[in-house]
Every structure is written in structure tokens, then in C-alpha cells.
Amino acid sequence: MKKFLRYLLIVLALILLAILVFLFRPVASKPVTGNDGEPVVDAVLIGGGIMSATLGTYLNELEPDWKIQMYERLDTVAQESSYAFNNAGTGHSGFMEMNYTPQADDGSIDIKRAENIASQFEVAKQFWAYQVQNGRLGQPNTFINPVPHIAFVWGNEVDYLKRRYQAMVKSPLFADMVYTEDKAEIERWSPLVMQGRDANQQVAATRMDIGSDVNYGAITTQLIDSLSKNANFSLATNSEVTGISRNADKTWTVSVKNLKTGELSQTKTRFVFIGAGGAAVKLLQYTDLPESKYYAGFPVGGLFLMTDNPAITAAHTAKVYGKAELGAPPMSVPHIDTRYVDGKKYVLFGPFATYSNKFLKNGSQLDLIKSATKDNALPMINIGLENTDLVKYLISQVMLSDDERLKELQKYYPNAKLEDWTAVQGGQRVQIIKKLPNEPAKLQFGTEIFSSEDGTVTALLGASPGASTSPHILLNLLEKSFPEQVQGKWKAKIEEIIPSYGKDLSKDATLLDEVRRNTSRTLGLNYQPKSTPAVSPATDAANVERLKQTSDEVVIKPAA
């Protein structure tokens, strides 16, 4: 027995030693010796998704003479999170996403995050409309289509939704929202949701007609196709970035491997953008920047049920969002969605959380392990121990049977039949674990901009709302990396692309109306322009006060 224990201790000691050696291994890229007179490109964009496509478009418009190099590890662009069936296709506007409007302990509803996201999506629509008008995007219905956004609840949540509505219509961004508890009205809005439902169940819904379904893969492909027509832009597919190292002259060298030929190459650049989805955490570690050591990743996947049955798709033209169950992460809010992909209509329901150690759908099961270092290992462990409810939720989701998924679907589509639906694995998301010095580690749900102190290396980390607000996010990134240009020679062009740039649409109803009128006309969205004439600040203040006093009664329809 003593002999066994001695051997066991030796084995455990060796395992511990191996773990320590692994965690303390060098993860930063080794410096690369370049050739004298080596050409320097102005920007390297890593990843062929919507983030790189959007940033590349901005840079090409602001600096047409800049040389831009894009690298994508797959054989074509827009195949990871941007791909149409790897995401929900929602134009996130805060209209029906109830996780953006939390309820405080006193029962009040905080709409600030919903206002922020709604304002950011208005920026996205301005950016896309500008690209349509200038021929960089094709016909709008190839990438965006009008689909009403509906929040739907039942039982005890009805009171919450009513108070949410009353808070939201006070903001110009949501002034067109309609609320009802009338079952017949909700059935007109979304027949699938009501047909077959218990007649005694109390229900409520809100609706915004200006909502949209967006194919982010189509936007990505069209923008990159347009960029590729420019002699100063170059796209390399089947190209995996294997290193990012700092040079003595403060430029960066990006090392690349051609996955088809095995050939190694390098590109010297003044600016690096890491827009590689979940792989951003690992790529950031190559830089050896002090700030890069603050991050780790927590991968979460999603599975959807999908149907193209014409009887079902014809009966449902809406994005209907419910409330997430207790302990569920924000990206697991259940919703039954109309989708338009390559001219065909689908209905999707989900997501059901899945788990994989991969950081990308086309990644490796070793991604999570390879991202662990001496700097982030303990924060990763601490977050796991602190979020046992989330871990239990993920396990329960992974263990769901087909019949159990059907029961979840039937909460939103009571007459659903399993044979009409196919399970489709969505994209892989990596939530951020962030550990700042002298602060506890935090698990963050959302999108974060990383920028080095000098602004020469940037990255996008995290997930939702992500693609929906990419034009806004990347404007913020430009402000961080190129503050002088944004406030100087670039400003007029940015204001041409984004007419509301620098203005708060949540406080300027007149400008919001003008923006929505113009973008909706270009993009083919449903919006009824206001006919309110210009008013003085005093009159406008009086209108705001009047709205506060009357909004509790406006547009609320009585229960049937």
C-alpha cells in the first residue's frame, strides 16, 4: 500500500509539474527579422467576417490610398459567426430583447441599454444605406428584410412587459411601440404563437414594425467583394496567422501559414485588427502586450431548430422574443424567428446552448486548453466556481432530447410537430473572462473593444449584439486608434456616411425621424415618418413632459 501511495504521489507530482510547465510556457511570438526596405502595409485585418469587412470598408473610404491586407483561415469569407445560419439574423434594436431592459428591486425598468443598442443599430442602418447608395452593397433585400420585432410573455410576466412598455415609449427610439393583451390581436401579429394555446392563459405582447432580419454573411461577402476591386486591398484565404510580433520601429510583423501549401510568409504593418471571433483571445496573446494578459475565453455554442415547411413559413413573419429562464446566459433568450437567406424564407427557434472547447466552429477541441496561461488560469477556474448556475444550465441544455426541445418550442408554437424541424448547429461564441489588476475576475456578456495603448493593435472580443452594431463598434475603434484623424480630416467623411455621428438619437426625435425615414426608404424597411414640424426647445420640453404624463395610457389595448 505504501508503495502504491508513493507511486501515486510521484505521478501526481509529475502531472502538476507538467501543468506548471504548460502554463508558464512562452505564448508571445518571437521577434521576426525583416529585410531592409521591406514594404509596409497600412493595415492588416485578421479574419474574414463582418467586423473586418466593415472596418476595411471604413478605412478604404477614409484613406483610399492605404494598402490593406486581410487574412482568413478558411477557404472563403463569412463562414464563421457571420454565416447566415450561424447566428439569429436579428437586427438587434432593443425592441423585443427583454434582457436589455432589466427590472430593478423597486420594480422600475431600466431601458438605458436598450436605448444604447437601438441608437447603435441606427448607425448600422445608416452605414448600410450609404453602401447601397454607393454600390458597395447590392439590392437591400439580399441582406436585410422588414420583419416586425415582437416581445411575447405569459402568466406572471405580463405585468413586467406592460411596465417595460410604459417605460420605453417615453423614449423617441421606441415611441412607435404598440402593446396589447388582446389575444386576437396577437394572433394577427403572429398566428403560430397563439394557435393551439390555452385559452385561459394570460398573454401580452409588444410590436415594433421597423424591425428587421439581417443576413450578416451576405453583407460581409458583398463588402469584401467590393473591397477586392480596389488595387490597394488584398485578401488571402486558407491563411492562418501564426504570430504577431513588435518591431523596433513600432510596426508589427504578422506571420502567416498557407494551410494548403504549408508556405510561411510575413507582412509588416502599421496597424493590426484582430476580428477573428473566438480566436481573438489566442491571437491577442501573440502580441505580448501587457493588456492582453487580462483576458481568457469561455466558449458557448448554440443549436437552432429550423424549418422551411411552406405552411409554417407562410404563417409566420416576425421575430418573437421571450424571456430567458433563470440562470440562462443572455444569448440564450428563446425566440422564434423569420429568416430570409438567399431569397428563401425559413423559421428558426432557439437557441439551445451547446458546449464545446472550440473557440471557432471550425476550430479545435484544444482551443480552450491552448488559451490557458499562467496569467488567466486562476481567473478561469474562479469564474467556473462562481457560475455554477450557468454550468448547470449548460449541462441541462446539452442533455436535452429531441422531445424536450420540442416542448420548449411548443411554448412559443403550441401546434409544432417534431417532423417539421431540423436541428442546426449555430456558430461558436466566446464570452470574455477579464481580470484587471487588483480586481476580481468577471465573466462578461457583450462585445468589448481591445486597443493597445498606442492604438496600433486592436481586437474585438465577446459576442452579442456584435454584428448588429458592427458599424458603431468599429467607429469607436477608429476613435481609439486614430483620434486625431477622426476629429480632423476624417470627420466630414464620417458624417457623410453616418449623418447622426456624434449626436444622441435618444434625445433628438426630429433627427431620429429623418434618419429612419432615409434609411428605411433605402433599405426597404417599414417606417411611418412623422410629420412634426420643427419646434423651439421650450415647446419640445413641453412635449416631453406631456408624453411622460400620458404614455401610460397611449396605445395600450384592453385584454380580450
Side-chain angles (χ1 to χ4, degrees), residues 30 39 81 89 92 113 120 172 180-181 197 232 247 255 260 376 383 388 393 450 509 532 545-546 559:
K30 295 180 180 179
S81 294
H92 284 293
R113 190 177 181 209
Q120 291 170 20
T180 188
E181 296 174 22
R197 187 169 296 277
N232 289 325
N247 301 315
S255 302
K260 280 194 170 181
N376 64 21
I383 289 297
T388 54
Y393 171 80
F450 172 91
T532 308
E545 185 58 31
R546 176 186 57 77

Side-chain angles (χ1 to χ4, degrees), residues 73-319:
R73 65 190 290 271
L74 300 179
D75 58 3
T76 187
V77 300
Q79 295 302 299
E80 279 287 347
S81 294
S82 300
Y83 179 65
F85 290 120
N86 284 349
N87 59 72
T90 300
H92 284 293
S93 309
F95 297 156
M96 76 303 199
E97 303 94 332
M98 287 174 274
N99 57 308
Y100 295 158
T101 50
Q103 178 175 268
D105 291 339
D106 63 1
S108 62
I109 308 297
D110 183 358
I111 70 166
K112 190 60 183 176
R113 190 177 181 209
E115 281 191 310
N116 288 340
I117 290 171
S119 296
Q120 291 170 20
F121 191 65
E122 295 299 330
V123 171
K125 289 189 291 184
Q126 290 171 77
F127 177 84
W128 298 331
Y130 183 85
Q131 306 312 324
V132 170
Q133 292 161 358
N134 288 273
R136 296 182 185 89
L137 285 175
Q139 289 295 319
N141 64 3
T142 63
F143 66 87
I144 189 168
N145 284 275
V147 175
H149 283 193
I150 296 173
F152 176 72
V153 297
W154 57 83
N156 294 333
E157 300 295 349
V158 169
D159 178 64
Y160 161 80
L161 187 64
K162 184 174 182 179
R163 286 183 289 107
R164 178 185 187 267
Y165 162 76
Q166 292 168 346
M168 294 185 79
V169 290
K170 296 174 184 177
S171 169
L173 290 159
F174 311 113
D176 292 337
M177 184 177 287
V178 179
Y179 172 93
T180 188
E181 296 174 22
D182 186 328
K183 294 180 173 67
E185 181 75 353
I186 298 174
E187 186 169 348
R188 283 191 289 271
W189 291 355
S190 182
L192 297 187
V193 168
M194 294 304 297
Q195 292 169 2
R197 187 169 296 277
D198 182 352
N200 295 318
Q201 187 178 54
Q202 186 183 13
V203 294
T206 61
R207 173 180 170 124
M208 285 285 286
D209 281 337
I210 198 175
S212 59
D213 172 72
V214 187
N215 184 335
Y216 298 106
I219 292 175
T220 302
T221 301
Q222 291 178 29
L223 289 180
I224 293 176
D225 284 348
S226 178
L227 283 169
S228 297
K229 297 173 184 176
N230 190 306
N232 289 325
F233 175 84
S234 180
L235 167 66
T237 56
N238 296 298
S239 298
E240 184 169 27
V241 171
T242 57
I244 306 171
S245 56
R246 192 72 185 253
N247 301 315
D249 60 0
K250 297 186 178 180
T251 61
W252 294 85
T253 293
V254 178
S255 302
V256 181
K257 179 180 180 179
N258 185 304
L259 297 179
K260 280 194 170 181
T261 66
E263 181 184 357
L264 302 176
S265 63
Q266 60 193 50
T267 299
K268 192 173 182 181
T269 182
R270 298 181 180 88
F271 173 76
V272 178
F273 171 67
I274 303 173
V281 173
K282 180 61 182 173
L283 291 167
L284 203 53
Q285 292 173 346
Y286 289 156
T287 67
D288 202 32
L289 289 165
E291 309 98 306
S292 70
K293 297 176 174 58
Y294 300 157
Y295 295 95
F298 180 81
V300 178
L303 181 144
F304 290 89
L305 297 179
M306 181 183 74
T307 182
D308 60 357
N309 183 326
I312 298 173
T313 60
H316 187 75
T317 303
K319 287 184 177 288

Side-chain angles (χ1 to χ4, degrees), residues 460-520:
L460 278 188
L461 305 167
S464 182
S468 293
T469 57
S470 51
H472 168 84
I473 290 169
L474 293 163
L475 266 182
N476 284 349
L477 185 143
L478 291 173
E479 291 169 347
K480 288 175 179 287
S481 291
F482 306 99
E484 292 182 8
Q485 292 95 321
V486 167
Q487 293 304 316
K489 65 176 183 174
W490 290 358
K491 190 173 184 181
K493 186 65 176 180
I494 290 174
E495 290 173 343
E496 178 185 332
I497 301 169
I498 313 294
S500 71
Y501 179 68
K503 300 179 177 66
D504 187 350
L505 291 177
S506 70
K507 293 181 171 59
D508 192 335
T510 302
L511 178 60
L512 174 64
D513 179 49
E514 180 182 346
V515 166
R516 283 183 169 172
R517 181 191 302 117
N518 293 336
T519 57
S520 297

